[in-house]
């Protein structure tokens, strides 16, 4: 072998070693801390970098992208002395590679322990219910404390989230019962509100129905009364227009007399004294000559209703009308028929009153001539 080859190979190997030791290529989103003779010199940025071989040494390689750290469940005691396990998720980013490498030995472990202590301080001032409903407040307080503490470490905490809050099993059962009771309560309230609304709507409908029926009845009564008033007015005008004599009026009087006993609420009746005069007028109207007078038997008698034991009163017979022999046959028949109708109506009314009173004691109602 040529003796010159060996030095050349050694020189080439030395050059390759020096180039490899001098040139450093840093990837994107990475930072390299360089020490010279054991002391921090500078931080290499992404790209091509040159260092002194043997003198410079890369101490740490850091990733400056945002990192996610999920901690294990940690037991925390609330204000009401309940132990809950809380999981947290931490989002952080390196802002100063030198501080992250030289200010703290293990920034991940340091952040984890700081999160636990901060959680215990925050949760210790809250009860369980407040803890379960105040996640946003807990996250904000955690972030404020962590961001302030990790700033000198060259780390920025972007976000802290509580992943889970796990209360004891007995508390879970109590919470389930409470939620079930709340749901039952809301269901009962909704059902009661529905019944209330239904009853209100039904009452409103019944009210509107009664009002409409009352208005209809009122209008019908008004129209009926107007019709009766107009009928009476026309009859009155017809009577006065035709100049009706007392004979016609007396006949209508006798014709209306039986209707006095139609009501079931009457307990006694009074036979008007004008009955004989009305009969006499009708008799005169149908006779060939005026009637001189009526016999005494046609005068009305005062009758007394029977007592509760069925005993008869003083006089219970209805007045009878008898025509004298001087009357004509047709006038006598008309007068007798009118008198019989009046007497029959009065007798029926008295019989109904006695039947209605029954055995309630001696009768107090009497019929008397007016």
């Amino acid at each position: 072998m040529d003796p010159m080859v060996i030095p050349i190979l050694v020189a080439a190997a030395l050059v390759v070693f020096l180039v490899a030791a001098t040139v450093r290529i840093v990837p994107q989103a990475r930072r390299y801390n360089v020490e010279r003779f054991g002391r921090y010199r500078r931080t290499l940025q992404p790209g091509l970098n040159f260092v002194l071989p043997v003198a410079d040494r890369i101490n740490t390689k850091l990733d400056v992208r945002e990192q996610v750290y999920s901690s294990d469940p940690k037991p925390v005691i609330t204000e009401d002395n309940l132990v809950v396990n809380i999981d947290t998720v931490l989002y952080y980013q390196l802002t100063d590679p030198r501080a992250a490498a030289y200010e703290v030995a293990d920034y991940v472990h340091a952040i984890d322990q700081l999160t636990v202590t901060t959680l215990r301080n925050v949760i210790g001032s809250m009860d369980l219910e407040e803890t379960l409903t105040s996640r946003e407040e807990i996250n904000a307080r955690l972030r404020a404390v962590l961001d302030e503490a990790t700033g000198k470490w060259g780390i920025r905490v972007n976000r802290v989230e509580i992943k889970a809050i796990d209360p004891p099993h007995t508390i879970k059962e109590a919470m389930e019962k409470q939620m079930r009771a709340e749901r039952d309560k809301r269901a009962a309230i909704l059902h009661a509100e529905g019944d209330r609304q239904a009853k209100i709507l039904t009452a409103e409908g019944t009210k509107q129905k009664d009002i409409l029926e009352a208005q209809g009845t009122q209008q019908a009564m008004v129209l009926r009364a107007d019709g009766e008033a107009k009928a009476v007015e026309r009859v009155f005008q017809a009577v006065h227009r035709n100049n009706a004599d007392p004979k016609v009026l007396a006949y209508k009087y006798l014709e209306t007399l039986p209707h006095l006993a139609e009501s079931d609420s009457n307990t006694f009746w009074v036979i008007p004294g004008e009955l004989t005069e009305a009969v006499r007028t009708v008799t005169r109207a149908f006779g060939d000559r005026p009637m001189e007078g009526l016999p005494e038997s046609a005068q009305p008698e005062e009758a007394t209703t029977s007592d509760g034991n069925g005993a008869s009163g003083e006089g219970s017979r209805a007045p009878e009308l008898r025509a004298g022999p001087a009357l004509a046959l047709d006038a006598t028949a008309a007068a007798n028929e009118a008198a019989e109708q009046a007497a029959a109506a009065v007798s029926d009314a008295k019989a109904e009153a006695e039947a209605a009173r029954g055995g309630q004691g001696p009768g107090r109602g009497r019929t008397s001539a007016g």
Side-chain angles (χ1 to χ4, degrees):
M1 177 180 294
D2 189 355
M4 296 298 295
V5 174
I6 296 175
I8 295 173
L9 292 177
V10 173
L14 182 60
V15 170
V16 171
F17 172 76
L18 291 176
V19 170
T22 303
V23 177
R24 292 290 185 269
I25 299 176
V26 180
Q28 184 67 33
R30 299 290 194 277
R31 300 293 186 271
Y32 293 170
N33 289 328
V34 177
E35 293 180 354
R36 179 172 293 177
F37 298 112
R39 184 176 181 178
Y40 172 77
R41 176 65 180 175
R42 61 192 176 100
T43 300
L44 301 181
Q45 299 298 321
L48 183 62
N49 295 273
F50 298 96
V51 296
L52 292 177
V54 180
D56 292 342
R57 182 177 68 89
I58 296 177
N59 183 27
T60 53
K61 298 179 180 180
L62 301 175
D63 191 347
V64 296
R65 293 176 296 180
E66 186 173 9
Q67 304 293 321
V68 179
Y69 175 74
S70 178
S71 64
D72 297 331
K74 299 296 189 299
V76 180
I77 300 176
T78 61
E79 186 181 13
D80 48 356
N81 296 325
L82 292 176
V83 179
V84 295
N85 295 321
I86 300 180
D87 300 346
T88 58
V89 178
L90 183 66
Y91 298 85
Y92 67 93
Q93 186 177 11
L94 295 177
T95 58
D96 188 357
R98 186 198 65 80
Y102 296 102
E103 296 295 334
V104 61
D106 188 354
Y107 60 85
V108 175
H109 182 69
I111 292 175
D112 183 35
Q113 294 303 314
L114 183 60
T115 302
V116 173
T117 55
T118 306
L119 267 178
R120 288 174 179 172
N121 293 332
V122 174
I123 301 300
S125 60
M126 298 181 179
D127 56 10
L128 179 60
E129 185 175 358
E130 188 178 1
T131 301
L132 295 175
T133 57
S134 304
R135 292 197 176 193
E136 293 295 334
E137 181 182 355
I138 297 173
N139 294 337
R141 294 174 65 178
L142 270 176
R143 179 183 175 184
V145 173
L146 291 175
D147 196 24
E148 181 181 359
T150 58
K152 63 180 180 179
W153 298 342
I155 298 172
R156 183 177 67 247
V157 177
N158 297 327
R159 190 170 183 179
V160 180
E161 292 290 341
I162 295 178
K163 185 168 61 175
I165 299 177
D166 190 14
H169 183 68
T170 55
I171 301 299
K172 287 182 179 180
E173 292 181 353
M175 292 171 60
E176 290 177 357
K177 292 180 180 179
Q178 181 181 3
M179 288 187 293
R180 191 180 302 112
E182 288 292 335
R183 292 189 180 96
D184 293 340
K185 175 184 176 182
R186 288 197 295 266
I189 292 175
L190 292 176
H191 184 69
E193 287 291 336
D195 291 342
R196 176 174 171 269
Q197 292 295 331
K199 290 179 180 179
I200 290 176
L201 294 177
T202 302
E204 289 290 337
T206 304
K207 175 183 176 182
Q208 294 295 330
K209 175 185 175 183
D210 294 341
I211 291 175
L212 293 176
E213 288 181 353
Q215 290 177 352
T217 304
Q218 178 187 10
Q219 294 177 1
M221 294 177 65
V222 170
L223 293 176
R224 191 180 298 111
D226 290 341
E228 292 178 358
K230 291 181 180 179
V232 172
E233 182 179 0
R234 289 188 179 181
V235 171
F236 183 77
Q237 291 177 357
V239 169
H240 283 273
R241 185 170 55 251
N242 296 327
N243 195 16
D245 55 1
K247 301 175 183 179
V248 177
L249 299 178
Y251 179 75
K252 296 298 291 182
Y253 178 80
L254 290 176
E255 198 177 48
T256 308
L257 184 61
H259 295 286
L260 295 175
E262 289 182 355
S263 177
D264 296 335
S265 61
N266 294 334
T267 57
F268 67 92
W269 292 266
V270 177
I271 301 175
E274 293 84 355
L275 177 62
T276 57
E277 184 65 27
V279 174
R280 186 181 296 111
T281 303
V282 174
T283 304
R284 289 173 182 173
F286 288 96
D288 294 333
R289 59 186 177 85
M291 185 177 64
E292 295 294 334
L294 290 175
E296 294 179 358
S297 60
Q299 299 296 329
E301 296 181 0
E302 185 176 7
T304 305
T305 59
S306 62
D307 57 5
N309 298 324
S312 301
E314 295 179 3
S316 60
R317 296 182 303 169
E320 297 180 2
L321 300 178
R322 298 179 181 177
L327 297 176
L329 182 59
D330 53 355
T332 303
N336 289 337
E337 184 178 0
E340 287 175 0
Q341 290 179 356
V346 174
S347 299
D348 292 341
K350 289 171 61 180
E352 291 179 359
E354 292 176 359
R357 293 173 60 183
Q360 298 178 359
R364 289 180 295 178
R366 294 176 177 271
T367 58
S368 59

